Amino acid sequence: MQIETITTHPYNDQNPGTSGLRKKVKVFQQPGYLENFVQSIFDSLHDFTGKTLVLGGDGRYFNRPAIQIIIKMAAANGFGKLIIGQGGLLSTPAASHIIRKNNAFGGLILSASHNPGGPDEDFGIKYNVGNGGPAPEKYTNAFYQRSLTIDSYKTAHIEDIDLDRIGTQQIEGLNITIVDPVTDYAELMQSIFDFNLLKQSISSGYITLLFDAMHAITGPYAKRILIDILGATPDSVINAEPLEDFGGHHPDPNLAHAQELAERMFSSSAPVFGAASDGDGDRNMITGSNIFVTPSDSLAIMAANAHLIPAYAQGLRGVARSMPTSQAVDRVAACYNIPCYETPTGWKFFGNLLDAGKITLCGEESFGTGSDHVREKDGLWAVLFWLNLIARKRQSVADIVHEHWQKFGRDIYCRHDYEAVEMDIANGIVEHLRSQLPALPGQTFGDYTVKYADEFSYEDSVDGSVSSNQGIRIGFENGSRIIFRLSGTGTVGATLRIYLERFEADASKHDQDAQVALAELIGLAEQFCEVKKRTGRTEPDVVT
C-alpha cells in the first residue's frame, strides 16, 4: 500500500462541541480541513493498529466524499478493518450498536444531527469510543489540542470503494466490510420489545400510526421495522427516503419543523400514535391523537412503565437526566426508590453511568431518550417503547399521560430558543446573568422566592472528572426553575436556550397551556437575561 504524508497547516476552529465538530459544508471542503481533524483524532488515539473502525453517517451532503477520504486515511494510519454502512449510511444509534457488537476500537459518525443539510448548510463528524458512546471530554480536548499544531496527515493511494455493494473486500491487507445498515439494529429491537404483541395490535387496527422520517436516516429503519416486520400500512411512514438536503427541510423533530406530522396528529383523522426522528436518528418526538408529549414527560412516563417492556421487566437500576430536563423523572425515581442522576447536557455524560451499571434509562429535554442497549440516544427505540406501552396498557397516548400526571403531578415545562445570536451579545448575556447570581438567593419576585442561583458544575460519580460552566440555574422555593444555557450544536452564532419549569400537583390544573402557566416565569427570565432587549427580538425562534 502506497502511503503519502501530506503537509498541512492548522485551523484554529476545530474544537468539538457536545456532539463533535459541526461546521458549514464549505468549511469542511477547505483544503485539508476534514483531513486535519481526522488525523488529529488518529494522532490522539493509541494502540489501534490492526483494529476495527466503524464508519457511517446520516447521508447528508458531503457524506459520501468524506467517507472516501476517511477510508484512505484509516488505511494509511494502520486500522485493519473497516465496517461501513451500505451507501455510507448508519444511524447514530445503529453505529453505536455495531461498535459494541463487533468489539470495534471505535467509530466515526458523520452527522450534524438535527441541523439542516445541503451544499450551503451543515456537516459534522464525531468520534465514538469502544463502548459505542461519544468520546468523553478528555478525548475531545486532546483532538482539539492536536489540531492546533498538526502539520501533516497520512493518506493511502487506493481506489474509491463501492459503498453500495454489501460484502467484504480486501485491499492490500485492509479488510473493508459493507453491511446493511438496518439488519443488526432491527435484531436488537426485536430482543428488547414484544414484537408479537405489536404485530397483533397493529394488524387488528388497535394501533394506527404515522412516523415522519423527515427525509433523514431513519426512513429505511422505520420502513423495515414498522412496515416490513410489524405490518403497519405503507403510508404509515412518510418522508422515508434519505436525501442529502433532507428535502430542503430542517430535520429537527419538533412541532415547528415536523409540520406535516403535526397537522395530521392534531386533526379529526389523527391516528392513535405519531412520531418523528431527526437527521441521524437519535432524537424522537412523541405525539398521540391531539396531544404532544414533552420529552421530559416522555422520559418520566417511560421510567414509570419500564417494567411493562420485556427487556426492562426486572426494573431499572437507576435513571439519569440532563440538568435542563424537567424534574418529572426525579419524582418517578423517588417513588420507586431508585437512584436519579443529574448530568450536564451531552450524551457522553451518561456513558460512564451506563457502563458502571448505575442506570438503565436516561434522557434529555432536547428530544433524546435511551437506555443501556446502546451508548447513544435512540429515536426509533423510543418510538417502539411507546408503541409497546400502548399495546400493553390498552390506553391512548393522552390517557397514559394524564394517568401519569394524576399519580406524580405535572411538571409544566417549555424551552425557548433564540437562535443565531451574535457571539458578543450571547456572551454578554451570560456575563450579565453571572453578575446577578450572588445577590439573587432570598429575593422575591411576585409568587417566586429565589432559593438558589448558581452555575451548574458536575462531578462524575464514576471517574471523578469535573465539568464546570454547564448552565446557569435559578431555582425557587416552590420547586420552579429557570435555566439559561448557550448551546454548542449550532454552526452560526450562538443559540440561547431558556428552560422554564413549574410543578403543578392540582389535577384540575393539569391541562393548562404551558405558555400561559409559565407566563410569570417567562417574564422573570427576560428580566434576568434581557435577551429581547439586547437582541431587539420580540419572541424566541423556537418554542418547545
Side-chain angles (χ1 to χ4, degrees), residues 218-275:
T218 49
Y221 294 82
K223 288 172 69 176
R224 177 85 60 86
I225 295 170
L226 299 177
I227 297 173
D228 297 347
I229 299 176
L230 295 178
T233 58
D235 59 358
S236 297
V237 178
I238 58 175
N239 302 316
E241 182 186 356
L243 299 175
E244 288 191 336
D245 66 349
F246 307 116
H249 298 296
H250 192 151
D252 193 355
N254 58 48
L255 293 174
H257 295 305
Q259 293 179 347
E260 185 176 355
L261 174 73
E263 287 174 6
R264 285 277 303 279
M265 296 309 299
F266 286 87
S267 74
S268 58
S269 61
V272 169
F273 176 80

Side-chain angles (χ1 to χ4, degrees), residues 22-29 60-62 111-112 114-124 244-251 490-492:
R22 294 181 186 171
K23 303 288 180 184
K24 292 297 181 186
V25 167
K26 285 182 169 55
V27 174
F28 272 101
Q29 289 175 324
R60 67 178 57 233
Y61 188 86
F62 195 55
S111 173
H114 55 293
N115 294 8
D120 298 315
E121 296 297 348
D122 298 347
F123 188 75
E244 288 191 336
D245 66 349
F246 307 116
H249 298 296
H250 192 151
T491 59
V492 177

Side-chain angles (χ1 to χ4, degrees), residues 46 68 75 328 363 383 477 496:
H46 304 285
Q68 298 290 358
V383 168
E477 295 287 353
L496 175 69

Side-chain angles (χ1 to χ4, degrees), residues 60-367:
R60 67 178 57 233
Y61 188 86
F62 195 55
N63 192 75
R64 280 180 175 258
I67 284 179
Q68 298 290 358
I69 289 169
I70 295 168
I71 290 171
K72 295 174 175 64
M73 293 187 64
N77 279 275
F79 280 96
K81 181 177 181 179
L82 301 179
I83 300 176
I84 306 171
Q86 184 183 26
L89 300 177
L90 278 178
S91 77
T92 291
S96 179
H97 175 54
I98 289 173
I99 291 169
R100 294 168 62 78
K101 180 179 178 180
N102 292 277
N103 295 311
F105 184 84
L108 286 170
I109 300 175
L110 308 182
S111 173
S113 187
H114 55 293
N115 294 8
D120 298 315
E121 296 297 348
D122 298 347
F123 188 75
I125 178 172
K126 69 172 182 175
Y127 179 71
N128 280 33
V129 294
N131 75 345
E137 285 184 316
K138 66 180 180 181
Y139 285 85
T140 55
N141 289 340
F143 302 161
Y144 177 51
Q145 292 303 317
R146 176 60 184 140
S147 76
L148 295 175
T149 60
I150 192 166
D151 58 7
S152 66
Y153 62 86
K154 296 177 183 177
T155 187
H157 287 280
I158 56 177
E159 294 294 320
D160 281 359
I161 301 302
D162 182 355
L163 298 175
D164 299 308
R165 180 165 60 89
I166 289 177
T168 297
Q169 48 193 305
Q170 293 279 345
I171 299 179
E172 301 185 49
L174 176 66
N175 178 304
I176 298 178
T177 301
I178 307 295
V179 298
D180 180 287
V182 179
T183 300
D184 286 341
Y185 179 84
E187 290 175 355
L188 177 64
M189 292 301 104
Q190 290 183 79
S191 74
I192 295 173
F193 302 106
D194 188 342
F195 270 39
N196 288 329
L197 175 63
L198 288 176
K199 287 179 190 175
Q200 294 166 9
S201 299
I202 290 171
S203 65
S204 69
Y206 180 76
I207 292 179
T208 53
L209 63 102
L210 183 65
F211 179 83
D212 188 352
M214 305 188 83
H215 285 304
I217 191 65
T218 49
Y221 294 82
K223 288 172 69 176
R224 177 85 60 86
I225 295 170
L226 299 177
I227 297 173
D228 297 347
I229 299 176
L230 295 178
T233 58
D235 59 358
S236 297
V237 178
I238 58 175
N239 302 316
E241 182 186 356
L243 299 175
E244 288 191 336
D245 66 349
F246 307 116
H249 298 296
H250 192 151
D252 193 355
N254 58 48
L255 293 174
H257 295 305
Q259 293 179 347
E260 185 176 355
L261 174 73
E263 287 174 6
R264 285 277 303 279
M265 296 309 299
F266 286 87
S267 74
S268 58
S269 61
V272 169
F273 176 80
S277 192
D278 67 329
D280 67 331
D282 62 357
R283 297 180 186 226
N284 70 89
M285 178 173 76
I286 302 298
T287 64
S289 177
N290 292 286
I291 185 171
F292 163 69
V293 186
T294 71
S296 293
D297 278 343
S298 181
L299 173 64
I301 290 166
M302 293 165 86
N305 293 280
H307 60 281
L308 300 177
I309 306 298
Y312 313 110
Q314 301 306 310
L316 304 176
R317 288 187 292 273
V319 294
R321 63 167 174 84
S322 66
M323 181 272 288
T325 301
S326 93
Q327 298 162 100
V329 76
D330 303 43
R331 304 181 201 287
V332 174
C335 176
Y336 291 107
N337 196 30
I338 59 175
C340 181
Y341 298 86
E342 182 181 46
T343 73
T345 296
W347 209 260
K348 57 192 174 188
F349 293 102
F350 294 136
N352 278 357
L353 297 171
L354 289 164
D355 285 349
K358 290 177 175 284
I359 62 171
T360 310
L361 207 67
C362 47
E364 298 181 333
E365 53 69 41
S366 54
F367 295 80

